[in-house]
Amino acid sequence: MSSSYQPIGVFDSGYGGLTIFRELISELPEYDFIYLGDNARNPYGTRSFEVVYEYTLQAVVHLFESGCELVVLACNTASAKALRTIQQQYLPLHHPDKRVLGVIRPSVEMIPFLTRTGHVGILGTNGTVLSGSYPMEIAKLTAQNPIVVSQQACPLWVPIVENNQIDSPGTAFFVEENLRNLFQTDAEIDTVILGCTHYPLLERIIRRFLPEGVTLVNQGPIVANKLRDYLNRHPEMEQRCSKGGSRVYRTTESPANFDSLANIFLDAPVKSQQVRLG
Ligand code: DGL
């Protein structure tokens, strides 16, 4: 690739970020993109702050070294546990002109437009829920009209998707149980955010157990829309993202496994390369 190759980097702990990636390439087809999945060290949802930060930073450095000027952390856990430190401490010192964006802020920005009761539910990994990132971001953005936020960790949903068990009977059991817990905490919730990359793949089953009239928020289209908006507002960055329409897939695990599972997420053939991080 030529030196003008400056793709938009998209990082996730594994496959899940492909639910965001597919919306990004559909909204912004003209740009070059690299997707990097840290499948060898997935899941991140159960790991400590220090470890998620270290792994995420290694991925960001890899993408910068591959030519990216702009990286999207398409992983809620990485956005919750690593993004702020990367933005506030790492970038100013090492790459003041490069940018790393996450998925939590764009999703939170939609909440005031969606909720009528002012009661919102967040579904996420243990890591995302325990980080308190969603309630914190929501509180910052809605200080004038505070929103009541309830969170529910759904630790089994990622393994269900990763193991291709979406249609097995056990899946409905766990989905129903987690949603029951969420609505027992607050029956006035009218908006539920799928705060984990894998959850859109369970959307059909989630909708079966969702009380009538509740809005389910899928992050992919929102993040894609907000990235388009970001590039419009930042022409200096937009001009540094190359527009060859290419897609490159990298994984830290076996490319054969990545390629076959990526199909579930993308509905299109994928040919990935293996890389080492750190
Ligand atoms: N990508 C992660 C997220 O969105 C889910 C998978 C994991 O735990 O690594 O939170």
Side-chain angles (χ1 to χ4, degrees):
M1 304 255 182
S2 79
S3 61
S4 62
Y5 174 64
Q6 294 183 327
I8 298 174
V10 180
F11 170 67
D12 181 51
S13 57
Y15 301 106
L18 290 170
T19 59
I20 308 279
F21 186 75
R22 70 182 172 200
E23 303 295 338
L24 292 175
I25 57 178
S26 151
E27 174 71 30
L28 302 159
E30 66 273 35
Y31 293 89
D32 292 309
F33 279 93
I34 299 188
Y35 182 89
L36 171 60
D38 191 6
N39 300 79
R41 303 188 293 194
N42 177 276
Y44 280 17
T46 46
R47 296 192 188 275
S48 66
F49 269 88
E50 291 72 19
V51 170
V52 172
Y53 175 69
E54 182 191 333
Y55 289 179
T56 305
L57 185 60
Q58 287 169 357
V60 167
V61 169
H62 172 90
L63 289 167
F64 284 170
E65 285 170 356
S66 305
C68 301
E69 295 288 308
L70 175 65
V71 170
V72 178
L73 300 184
C75 173
N76 282 268
T77 308
S79 298
K81 292 183 156 189
L83 180 62
R84 186 183 299 264
T85 315
I86 291 175
Q87 286 176 334
Q88 295 181 354
Q89 293 176 23
Y90 178 76
L91 289 182
L93 272 181
H94 301 276
H95 298 283
D97 295 333
K98 295 189 190 256
R99 291 291 173 267
V100 180
L101 308 174
V103 287
I104 294 181
R105 177 86 188 197
S107 312
V108 164
E109 281 172 358
M110 289 305 293
I111 288 178
F113 301 103
L114 297 173
T115 180
R116 296 168 312 278
T117 61
H119 292 245
V120 166
I122 309 295
L123 302 170
T125 63
N126 274 324
T128 298
V129 166
L130 290 176
S131 75
S133 293
Y134 272 97
M136 254 179 324
E137 284 293 333
I138 293 171
K140 264 195 264 165
L141 266 180
T142 59
Q144 307 296 335
N145 291 305
I147 296 225
V148 180
V149 184
S150 302
Q151 302 193 92
Q152 174 66 44
C154 311
L156 291 174
W157 294 14
V158 168
I160 284 170
V161 172
E162 291 275 332
N163 290 292
N164 212 353
Q165 293 297 311
I166 294 171
D167 292 315
S168 75
T171 303
F173 173 84
F174 290 113
V175 170
E176 183 179 18
E177 183 179 55
N178 288 138
L179 288 177
R180 197 186 321 117
N181 288 344
L182 180 67
F183 285 93
Q184 263 167 9
T185 313
D186 181 357
E188 288 184 65
I189 291 170
D190 71 346
T191 305
V192 171
I193 296 192
L194 298 178
C196 172
T197 50
H198 288 59
Y199 298 176
L201 291 161
L202 297 170
E203 187 172 335
R204 191 171 33 86
I205 300 158
I206 295 169
R207 284 193 187 280
R208 265 170 52 199
F209 299 108
L210 212 56
E212 213 171 308
V214 172
T215 304
L216 195 61
V217 182
N218 181 351
Q219 299 180 305
I222 296 173
V223 173
N225 229 287
K226 295 275 181 184
L227 186 61
R228 166 71 77 192
D229 183 50
Y230 175 87
L231 292 170
N232 286 340
R233 285 184 291 107
H234 293 88
E236 76 294 347
M237 175 55 76
E238 197 282 329
Q239 280 149 24
R240 281 154 60 208
C241 297
S242 58
K243 296 173 197 69
S246 69
R247 317 287 177 239
V248 169
Y249 298 89
R250 293 186 181 156
T251 173
T252 53
E253 245 294 344
S254 137
N257 287 351
F258 185 92
D259 296 353
S260 70
L261 255 167
N263 271 332
I264 312 177
F265 291 85
L266 281 183
D267 282 334
V270 164
K271 188 119 199 63
S272 62
Q273 309 152 348
Q274 188 167 21
V275 291
R276 272 187 165 277
L277 297 179

